[in-house]
């Protein structure tokens, strides 16, 4: 895919797809609840379809039409052993959440994935589950992963790595475990699982003490399904937000965007940088905060972001690095260790591709430094993505300022945002 320079800004109202994190949970949780769940605006991207097919392969009745899907849940113990291995493509969220869910079922499951997912760390989820007596074996710490479903023992688990995927896997395991499991988060991460479990009637209690969060969940309580309207994805919006900010004469409106305070670090960071962003029509939907967002071209300042931002916007650093490249002053983003174990080593690819675009930048102790300039000269316009959707979309946005950039392996964008190219081109982008 080639992303070309645009001379005018971007203008209009792009359609942003449903939130990826909430979509995964909207399939998993109703599948083990009682009743029929109608889900509107679910994200139909490859990652989410892997979760959907996994649940179907375990006997859950799921009906799909263009706009909505229906899930016929039959309770905590209604899943059946899949006849084959469960293939999860590129989706880390599917892998970690399903490992938790399946560890307390009564059957054996084998999870596999593509070459990128098969390199990602899985002991971070199997180790805490094994402390609860789960029987999970990994292949050298990664997929393929074998789960011999068993009766788990409720324990107190202190989360060493800040990760909503690990937390959610443990919560899903606890649902079918007798007694009270306590999970302590030392850094707060996205809380979509807790919000949905609470509204489905789970016996779950949350308490915040300073920067810690303690979650107590009593298992073996059946859940009751509710209909879900999935809000649109802030992480997918991020590419449009930054594209509008860095290109002159831009104004865009993004509707019905999830504005969960455990996810909105990008907006806070950009506002700190002086971005002209208005948050409009704040409201609640299925207990998730939702809003509309108006963004206009802005002269950005650089900023120094502490590591407390990392947990609130871990997926947004590739696109924030593009914004920082066009700011008036340098930026430092601190505490980016987790970026190394995402769909690619994102820290490495951000640095390599920025340098190829002529942007001076460096990394020290997992902190990223970006020194913007007024005159970039692209050294090598081949953008390496290692099949990482967010690197590909971030550098498409870079192409609107420094194009043409040749974004390699850009089909990965289908893992989270199948309509990305059309939506950007519709409002003034030039991606071919
Ligand atoms: C996700 C959590 C984050 C994020 C991922 C989606 C989720 O991962 O990077 O894209 O849906 O729970 P970690 O929890 O591993 O940081």
């Amino acid at each position: 895919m080639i992303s070309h320079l645009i001379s005018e800004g971007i203008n209009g109202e792009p359609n942003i797809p449903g939130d990826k994190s909430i979509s995964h949970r909207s399939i998993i949780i109703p599948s083990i609840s009682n009743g029929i769940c109608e889900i509107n605006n679910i994200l139909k991207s490859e990652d989410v379809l892997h979760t959907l097919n996994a649940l179907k392969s375990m006997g859950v009745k799921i009906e799909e039409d263009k706009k909505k899907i229906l899930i016929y849940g039959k309770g905590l113990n209604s899943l059946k052993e899949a006849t084959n291995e469960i293939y999860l493509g590129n989706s880390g969220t599917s892998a970690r959440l399903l490992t938790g869910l399946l560890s307390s079922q009564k059957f054996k499951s084998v999870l596999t994935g593509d070459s990128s997912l098969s390199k990602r760390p899985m002991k971070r989820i199997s180790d805490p589950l094994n402390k609860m007596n789960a029987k999970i074996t990994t292949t050298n710490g990664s997929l393929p992963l074998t789960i011999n479903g068993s009766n788990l023992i409720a324990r107190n688990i202190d989360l060493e790595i800040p990760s909503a995927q690990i937390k959610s896997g443990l919560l899903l395991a606890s649902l079918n475990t007798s007694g009270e499991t306590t999970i302590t988060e030392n850094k707060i991460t996205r809380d979509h699982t807790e919000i949905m479990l609470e509204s489905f009637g789970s016996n779950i209690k949350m308490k915040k003490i300073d920067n810690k969060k303690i979650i107590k969940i009593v298992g073996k309580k059946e859940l009751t399904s509710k209909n879900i309207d999935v809000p649109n994805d802030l992480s997918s919006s991020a590419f449009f937000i930054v594209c509008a900010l860095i290109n002159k004469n831009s104004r865009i409106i993004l509707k019905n965007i999830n504005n969960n305070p455990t996810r909105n670090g990008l907006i806070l960071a950009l506002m700190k940088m002086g971005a002209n962003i208005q948050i409009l029509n704040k409201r609640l939907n299925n207990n998730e905060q939702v809003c509309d967002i108006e963004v206009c071209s802005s002269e950005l300042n650089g900023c120094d972001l502490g590591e407390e931002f990392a947990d609130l916007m871990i997926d947004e650093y590739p696109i924030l690095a593009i914004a920082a490249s066009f700011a008036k002053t340098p930026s430092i983003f601190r505490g980016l260790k987790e970026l190394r174990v995402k769909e690619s080593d994102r820290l490495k690819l951000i640095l390599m591709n920025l340098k190829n675009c002529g942007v001076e930048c460096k990394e020290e102790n997992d902190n990223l430094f970006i020194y913007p300039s007024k005159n970039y000269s692209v050294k090598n316009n081949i953008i390496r993505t290692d099949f990482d959707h967010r690197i590909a979309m971030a550098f498409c946005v870079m192409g609107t300022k420094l194009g043409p950039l040749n974004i390699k392996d850009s089909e990965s964008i289908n893992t989270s945002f199948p309509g990305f190219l059309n939506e950007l081109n519709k409002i003034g982008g030039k991606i071919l």
Side-chain angles (χ1 to χ4, degrees):
M1 169 188 282
I2 314 278
S3 176
H4 291 269
L5 196 69
I6 57 175
S7 45
E8 302 293 318
I10 56 166
N11 279 279
E13 204 178 297
N15 290 316
I16 302 299
D19 185 88
K20 183 155 83 68
S21 293
I22 298 176
S23 293
H24 283 293
R25 289 149 175 88
S26 299
I27 295 165
I28 296 172
I29 294 173
S31 290
I32 47 154
S33 300
N34 288 291
I36 303 171
C37 175
E38 180 180 309
I39 309 163
N40 284 297
N41 197 39
I42 195 160
L43 169 66
K44 291 205 171 163
S45 74
E46 285 174 5
D47 273 16
V48 176
L49 292 177
H50 284 301
T51 293
L52 186 108
N53 289 332
L55 271 310
K56 274 187 175 170
S57 75
M58 288 183 277
V60 180
K61 182 176 163 196
I62 302 181
E63 285 172 0
E64 297 173 66
D65 77 19
K66 267 213 171 113
K67 288 242 162 97
K68 58 177 190 232
I69 71 170
L70 294 175
I71 299 192
Y72 296 78
K74 293 216 169 108
L76 289 175
N77 280 302
S78 61
L79 301 181
K80 309 220 159 28
E81 182 165 346
T83 38
N84 293 312
E85 294 179 346
I86 299 174
Y87 177 72
L88 301 171
N90 195 249
S91 181
T93 307
S94 312
R96 273 71 174 250
L97 269 58
L98 291 178
T99 299
L101 177 80
L102 298 176
S103 62
S104 58
Q105 294 291 324
K106 299 268 169 323
F107 50 81
K108 178 179 166 186
S109 310
V110 178
L111 305 184
T112 65
D114 70 8
S115 63
S116 150
L117 184 59
S118 303
K119 287 189 209 114
R120 294 181 66 187
M122 291 298 152
K123 281 179 90 62
R124 54 175 53 204
I125 179 70
S126 63
D127 281 352
L129 285 167
N130 286 342
K131 279 191 197 151
M132 295 173 70
N133 206 35
K135 310 264 180 296
I136 304 170
T137 48
T138 64
T139 309
N140 301 321
S142 300
L143 298 185
L145 183 145
T146 303
I147 304 156
N148 283 299
S150 56
N151 283 325
L152 304 191
I153 302 170
R155 298 242 191 254
N156 290 348
I157 311 266
D158 212 35
L159 286 181
E160 281 154 29
I161 303 170
S163 161
Q165 294 181 351
I166 302 174
K167 171 180 65 178
S168 301
L170 289 164
L171 286 170
L172 293 169
S174 311
L175 288 174
N176 204 21
T177 300
S178 299
E180 184 177 82
T181 300
T182 304
I183 301 169
T184 303
E185 274 198 300
N186 295 303
K187 290 178 172 176
I188 289 172
T189 65
R190 66 189 71 189
D191 62 358
H192 307 301
T193 307
E194 295 93 301
I195 290 177
M196 199 176 288
L197 286 179
E198 204 170 27
S199 84
F200 276 50
S202 156
N203 192 340
I204 184 171
K205 288 196 184 72
M206 279 82 71
K207 197 158 97 187
K208 282 187 194 148
I209 304 172
D210 301 325
N211 281 338
K212 283 193 183 190
K213 181 171 165 188
I214 298 164
I215 309 167
K216 291 189 179 290
I217 181 162
V218 179
K220 297 285 180 192
K221 175 161 191 256
E222 289 289 342
L223 308 179
T224 308
S225 237
K226 280 205 173 148
N227 293 343
I228 301 170
D229 279 322
V230 180
N232 294 331
D233 197 324
L234 180 61
S235 298
S236 297
S237 313
F239 304 102
F240 292 83
I241 294 173
V242 170
C243 192
L245 289 172
I246 63 176
N247 282 291
K248 287 210 169 82
N249 305 317
S250 297
R251 180 177 171 271
I252 57 167
I253 306 268
L254 305 163
K255 291 266 175 76
N256 194 30
I257 308 297
N258 183 236
N259 189 29
N260 180 316
T262 60
R263 275 285 286 285
N264 67 357
L266 176 81
I267 302 285
L268 305 180
L270 288 171
M271 284 181 166
K272 225 168 122 100
M273 294 168 81
N276 185 348
I277 296 178
Q278 308 297 326
I279 303 293
L280 310 165
N281 303 324
K282 284 190 191 175
R283 54 209 186 263
L284 269 185
N285 188 350
N286 293 116
N287 290 335
E288 286 280 352
Q289 296 190 29
V290 173
C291 66
D292 302 331
I293 304 179
E294 182 184 1
V295 189
C296 297
S297 322
S298 303
E299 291 268 308
L300 297 175
N301 298 308
C303 71
D304 184 339
L305 287 191
E307 67 175 316
E308 68 281 5
F309 272 83
D311 312 311
L312 301 179
M313 55 168 293
I314 193 66
D315 291 336
E316 278 65 77
Y317 283 99
I319 189 64
L320 187 68
I322 306 297
S325 302
F326 298 98
K328 286 183 276 183
T329 52
S331 289
I332 311 173
F333 306 147
R334 298 176 193 273
L336 305 188
K337 186 165 159 225
E338 277 294 301
L339 274 192
R340 296 192 185 280
V341 290
K342 292 295 175 185
E343 286 82 329
S344 67
D345 179 341
R346 285 188 175 153
L347 199 45
K348 179 177 106 186
L349 288 185
I350 291 171
L351 285 160
M352 175 193 293
N353 289 316
L354 282 185
K355 283 181 185 161
N356 278 344
C357 290
V359 181
E360 200 188 318
C361 53
K362 67 174 186 190
E363 177 269 320
E364 266 173 25
N365 305 322
D366 300 323
N367 302 325
L368 173 63
F369 296 74
I370 296 177
Y371 305 96
S373 138
K374 286 234 172 315
N375 301 304
Y376 287 122
S377 93
V378 174
K379 294 182 186 134
N380 174 357
N381 81 339
I382 309 278
I383 301 298
R384 179 173 147 191
T385 69
D386 291 359
F387 294 93
D388 184 326
H389 54 136
R390 298 200 200 279
I391 297 288
M393 288 186 276
F395 280 87
C396 275
V397 172
M398 184 63 135
T400 65
K401 293 285 283 184
L402 301 181
L405 295 183
N406 183 349
I407 319 289
K408 289 292 177 194
D409 307 313
S410 55
E411 60 275 23
S412 63
I413 291 173
N414 291 330
T415 62
S416 67
F417 196 161
F420 174 74
L421 186 147
N422 286 345
E423 292 304 317
L424 193 55
N425 284 349
K426 192 176 88 182
I427 58 167
K430 248 170 114 185
I431 303 175
L432 304 169

